[in-house]
Amino acid sequence: MESSLNVVADDAFLARRAAEGDERAFAEIVELYDAQLRRLCYVICGDVHTADDAVQAAWEKAWRGMHTLKRPEALRAWLSRIAINETRQSLRRTRALQLLRLRARANPTLTHAAPEQIVDLHRALLHLSVRDRQLLGLRYVAGLQLDEISEVLGERASTTRSRLARIHGRLRKELQYD
């Protein structure tokens, strides 16, 4: 198992190469993070096609903006921020927020749960704001740590921690898992 320190160093190396125009390095970045970004966008918008479109736009934006990445070691957080912004723009453009329909069969992260639990969780997620779903997506889909999430969302780590605890409480109450 590769340590997270090695992953960050590898990310930084790839990011620097991609910023210099190395298409192979960027292709490696895409290979490493594409599925994760798709899951993140799906958690936020609840629609596979919208998520796919957002990720495609995010990759285009990332390629054009690689030279603007100030901290190559923060590549994962930077990519997540771009994907979140693209998803939010897609939601605004299509007004899909009012029509969110999370489908259990399309969610690759919940394959071991019973169908009724998946439906209950999807209903509970529908009651959360887009902002709260972003936080959950960054934590549990993208696997970011609280300090990385705080950076992506532009808030203090203590605020992120409090919000996450509040969201957990709401979900527990809604799902009656007390």
Side-chain angles (χ1 to χ4, degrees):
M1 179 185 236
E2 198 171 356
S3 76
S4 60
L5 192 57
N6 289 340
V7 171
V8 170
D10 292 345
D11 282 359
F13 177 73
L14 289 172
R16 283 188 204 93
R17 284 184 31 213
E20 294 168 357
D22 186 334
E23 292 179 12
R24 284 188 179 151
F26 189 74
E28 286 184 52
I29 292 169
V30 172
E31 186 174 321
L32 286 170
Y33 290 108
D34 189 67
Q36 179 180 305
L37 292 181
R38 286 181 193 284
R39 288 190 304 269
L40 173 62
C41 293
Y42 176 79
V43 166
I44 294 167
C45 71
D47 179 76
V48 173
H49 301 294
T50 302
D52 287 344
D53 291 346
V55 171
Q56 183 61 39
W59 284 126
E60 291 171 16
K61 198 168 263 188
W63 172 245
R64 285 192 314 271
M66 284 303 298
H67 67 282
T68 67
L69 177 59
K70 292 178 178 37
R71 293 184 35 235
E73 67 278 3
L75 175 65
R76 185 171 61 155
W78 184 73
L79 292 171
S80 296
R81 185 176 322 124
I82 293 170
I84 285 172
N85 288 339
E86 289 301 316
T87 304
R88 291 172 71 188
Q89 286 180 4
S90 291
L91 287 172
R92 278 193 292 270
R93 277 192 305 269
T94 63
R95 299 176 130 335
L97 187 56
Q98 293 88 13
L99 304 173
L100 274 178
R101 290 180 17 234
L102 297 175
R103 294 174 294 227
R105 65 178 168 75
N107 189 338
T109 63
L110 298 173
T111 56
H112 299 313
E116 61 276 2
Q117 290 174 317
I118 294 171
V119 171
D120 289 346
L121 178 58
H122 285 186
R123 283 188 188 131
L125 289 172
L126 281 173
H127 293 119
L128 297 176
S129 69
V130 170
R131 241 182 117 228
D132 287 347
R133 288 194 304 272
Q134 287 172 1
L135 176 55
L136 289 175
L138 287 168
R139 181 69 184 110
Y140 298 109
V141 176
L144 298 181
Q145 299 300 313
L146 287 174
D147 59 331
E148 294 173 305
I149 297 169
S150 300
E151 183 179 328
V152 169
L153 298 178
E155 61 189 25
R156 294 184 8 215
S158 59
T159 302
T160 302
R161 190 175 7 269
S162 297
R163 285 185 54 220
L164 189 57
R166 190 173 61 250
I167 294 166
H168 284 155
R170 282 188 65 194
L171 289 174
R172 267 193 300 278
K173 182 178 177 185
E174 182 129 357
L175 297 171
Q176 300 175 355
Y177 292 146
D178 289 18

